[in-house]
Amino acid sequence: MAAQILDELKEAIVELNIDETEELTQKALDEGLSAVAILNDGLLPALDEVGVLFREGDYFLPDVLMSVKAYDNSFKLLKPMLQEGDYQAKGTVMLGTVAGDIHDIGKNIVSALLQGNGFDIIDLGVDVPAQTFLDKAKEANPHIIGMSAMLTTTMPAMKDVIDVFTENGVRDQFKFIIGGSPLNQKFADEIGADGYGEDAQAGVELVKRLLGV
């Protein structure tokens, strides 16, 4: 029965049935499943599948956002129990769209998928100055800093961020990743970033690879 509920929960997220996931999560809890088991065996595999569907062109941005909403309806029930138990996040990722750029859809999708994969997220929002990246990183000490840009005109701001960390002697304390439609691996190499994610799912896999989780 419990395994069937987890399968139904996973299917509900993948099939974008946002009104079903909260009830299914409560049923799983009532069956005695732990919050960690529901997360690991129901929610995370579902978001992994959504990420693959997005990469392969079967799902589009609205589909991903709906699946994340379905995920959130479940996760909000689990979160208090996860925080009280032995659950530990896989790492902390700080995200922001660089100065001059106000696009946030891609960043938000990466944020949602990373949360769904067990990472803590610090979201700085959009149009974030380089100095703010530095100040927040010193304050929160994230494992990875992710920068987003959707305009060719704002791409240089990514180098500005890395440069300000270098100038302050803390570049090597953090891993930098970048993402956005005008970017590529060559640009990541040119500005000294540690990695480039060509899409949201690739970004998640890149974070896992950099942290070895």
Side-chain angles (χ1 to χ4, degrees), residues 95-165:
L95 299 173
T97 303
V98 295
D101 201 321
I102 60 171
H103 296 86
D104 65 356
I105 292 178
K107 173 181 65 63
N108 292 344
I109 292 174
V110 172
S111 174
L113 291 179
L114 284 171
Q115 287 185 68
N117 278 274
F119 294 91
D120 284 340
I121 301 298
I122 302 168
D123 190 343
L124 301 182
V126 300
D127 191 18
V128 182
Q131 187 64 42
T132 300
F133 274 99
L134 177 64
D135 293 343
K136 294 296 183 182
K138 286 182 175 179
E139 178 182 318
N141 198 31
H143 297 94
I144 289 183
I145 298 171
M147 296 182 284
S148 173
M150 294 295 287
L151 304 170
T152 55
T153 53
T154 56
M155 289 168 55
M158 293 178 155
K159 184 176 185 304
D160 294 341
V161 173
I162 294 177
D163 285 349
V164 78
F165 278 73

Side-chain angles (χ1 to χ4, degrees), residues 57-69:
D58 295 318
Y59 271 17
F60 299 95
L61 290 179
D63 302 314
V64 175
L65 294 175
M66 285 187 67
S67 70
V68 170
K69 174 60 177 173

Side-chain angles (χ1 to χ4, degrees), residues 181-192:
S181 58
L183 311 179
N184 52 43
Q185 185 60 53
K186 180 174 181 292
F187 178 73
D189 294 338
E190 289 174 354
I191 67 172

